[in-house]
Amino acid sequence: MMERRVRVRFAPSPTGPLHIGGVRTALYNYLFARQQGGDMILRIEDTDSTRFVPGAEEYINEALAWLGIGIDEGVREGGAYGPYKQSERRDIYREHVQRLLDAGRAYIAFDTPAELEAKRQEIKNFQYDASTRGMMRNSLTLSPAEVESLIASGEKYVVRFKIEPNRDVTVHDLIRGDVTINSSILDDKVLYKSVDDLPTYHLANIVDDHLMEVSHVIRGEEWLPSAPLHVLLYEAFGWTDSMPQFVHLPLLLKPDGKGKLSKRDGDRLGFPVFPLDWQDPVSGERSSGYREAGYLPQAVVNFLALLGWNPGDDREILSMDDLIKEFSFEHCSKKGAKFDFEKGKWFNHEYLLALPDRELAQLFVPVLQQHTSASFAEDYITRAVGLVKSRINFVKDLWDHAGFFFVRPENYSEKDIRKRWKPETPAIMRQLVEVLRGIEPFASAHSEEVVLGWIKDNEYHLGNVMNAFRLAVVGECKGPHMFDIAELMGRDETIARIELAINRIQPIDA
Ligand code: GLU
């Protein structure tokens, strides 16, 4: 058999913001498509008109674009297999429903919700299937003339798939191996509803996979129960030869591993479970996203890629190109993946650290502008950022660590004053100012040598003097190497701050 062209699809339903689990599904589809030189399709499954949410489709597009998950064929991209939005494919589904009806593989059912409810009351564990369809109001029990007249009178109906009972159906899954289920556990799935002239998810999803020549159905584990239906419908249509390969991805679990990660876990535990911020158009409810929380898209991609897959060794930092190269279903796990949010922060830290200082500085400028209207040379910002970047997980953290480079301290840490600002400190700081005035060049290593020499010659307490120096310049006893700070700020600013501190800080009696 000729090798089939790899064609995969990400098929979200626009029922709200795309959940982070859906993003991972999209990512794995994309990685596989790129690796195999295949096609990545984005299909919008909007046949459930009752669950449609305005803005959700735009959200999906924006999220995928932000993450660099490229789409080859879709509503916006176009392509030879369109339309890519299911609500625009009604004729196609209608025709396919008719084919099943004509072949006796599906039937029309008129049972009203009330009638179905009555049956549920009457028969324990009622399921609409081979064992019960004979007692229901459908085209198998009614005469063709009755069926016609009911339809003509405008009676609402559905079309159900006539599932043959007691057949073992095997789904071959590239992660889970063969999964066999008995067809008797399936009900006669509704494929089409006359009320809105729309197919159900089941029919549309499966017909489109065939028509779009999908080679691999890669989706979340929660869809595993639908896979046998895929097999049975392909069979009913006579498409068995083009059956896709199935891949059901492991669940994303709560951070403690107890149960499936839910939309609510994010708010409850304080981390985003959506790629972008979202506001529900009806309830107004807001959900926070990775982008607005300060994550780099590369970090989110790397983090998600490793939730359920590994490269076969202990590498963790993998770029999109690395992931495309290394991805394989063999290294996907069957077990659910714990959503280790702390690890997500670590990835962001690593990716920020790997950015050139100049780029990091550019990301920091908007944060800086929220705090001060003064302007600073690009080079100064770049160097300040470079000195503290090892301490941050997010761009906004740069302010906490580097803010003092841009505004003088307004007050000084009381705890540090208590510990380091002794009655003799002002006099020593005055001497330090003199020492600093004499240093040439005013460069970190050289200043360090001179200042430490002066401390030693005077037999001062190294820790007290250096920490008082730091307290004066930074406002508290933290920050990068003191002489790097002084070099970057320059002699004048460093001295000005020490003088300010001498005037302002009163020793506190212990
Ligand atoms: N529309 C389904 C969803 O929202 C698609 C599932 C599948 O990939 O088959 O996830």
Side-chain angles (χ1 to χ4, degrees), residues 274-501:
F274 298 102
L276 317 175
D277 275 2
W278 165 260
Q279 182 168 21
D280 189 279
V282 179
S283 68
E285 191 194 340
R286 287 171 186 278
S287 319
S288 64
Y290 279 85
R291 182 178 63 185
E292 290 78 4
Y295 283 81
L296 294 176
Q298 311 89 290
V300 177
V301 162
N302 196 156
F303 171 49
L304 287 180
L306 289 174
L307 289 173
W309 171 84
N310 67 75
D313 52 40
D314 51 18
R315 268 175 305 161
E316 293 192 290
I317 299 294
L318 296 140
S319 67
M320 190 69 106
D321 285 344
D322 297 334
L323 293 169
I324 290 169
K325 211 165 108 228
E326 303 292 338
F327 186 75
S328 75
F329 298 125
E330 259 159 69
H331 287 131
C332 285
S333 71
K334 291 195 197 64
K335 278 201 334 235
K338 276 187 214 160
F339 194 78
D340 182 356
F341 178 64
E342 290 303 322
K343 192 78 194 194
K345 287 189 194 162
W346 177 82
F347 275 109
N348 208 51
H349 168 83
E350 291 295 317
Y351 275 86
L352 285 173
L353 210 55
L355 283 184
D357 291 352
R358 201 157 289 279
E359 274 178 46
L360 189 55
Q362 275 159 13
L363 296 177
F364 175 57
V365 166
V367 179
L368 181 59
Q369 286 166 347
Q370 286 167 18
H371 290 92
T372 166
S373 53
S375 65
F376 297 90
E378 191 186 322
D379 205 51
Y380 182 80
I381 305 174
T382 301
R383 288 176 63 197
V385 156
L387 286 177
V388 303
K389 67 174 179 180
S390 64
R391 299 154 196 255
I392 60 155
N393 288 333
F394 300 102
V395 170
K396 67 176 174 3
D397 299 346
L398 284 168
W399 180 255
D400 296 336
H401 295 279
F404 68 87
F405 280 110
F406 308 96
V407 290
R408 291 179 175 174
E410 275 175 14
N411 35 53
Y412 302 86
S413 150
E414 207 182 297
K415 177 179 122 272
D416 294 329
I417 295 174
R418 216 176 272 285
K419 190 154 175 222
R420 305 295 188 179
W421 204 268
K422 307 287 172 194
E424 66 277 16
T425 303
I428 298 177
M429 289 297 112
R430 265 183 221 108
Q431 286 177 30
L432 174 61
V433 166
E434 290 317 309
V435 173
L436 294 176
R437 279 197 220 284
I439 294 177
E440 204 58 60
F442 195 72
S444 179
H446 181 54
S447 306
E448 178 170 8
E449 201 187 312
V450 174
V451 171
L452 295 190
W454 159 74
I455 292 174
K456 198 158 185 249
D457 292 348
N458 290 280
E459 293 180 9
Y460 290 146
H461 185 285
L462 177 69
N464 282 350
V465 175
M466 285 308 298
N467 276 292
F469 181 14
R470 185 178 284 280
L471 180 60
V473 173
V474 178
E476 55 186 318
C477 292
K478 66 161 210 198
H481 186 53
M482 193 54 226
F483 296 98
D484 289 346
I485 298 175
E487 175 183 324
L488 178 54
M489 274 187 189
R491 190 197 318 267
D492 292 348
E493 179 64 16
T494 305
I495 290 176
R497 289 188 184 200
I498 298 173
E499 286 175 337
L500 208 59

Side-chain angles (χ1 to χ4, degrees), residues 9 11-13 45 201 205 219 223:
R9 84 307 192 265
S13 301
E45 303 211 320
Y201 153 78
N205 178 270
R219 59 183 172 187
W223 297 98

Side-chain angles (χ1 to χ4, degrees), residues 137-155:
R137 228 154 50 84
N138 55 44
S139 58
L140 302 173
T141 58
L142 303 168
S143 72
E146 282 173 300
V147 170
E148 241 169 73
S149 92
L150 281 173
I151 294 177
S153 72
E155 185 106 349

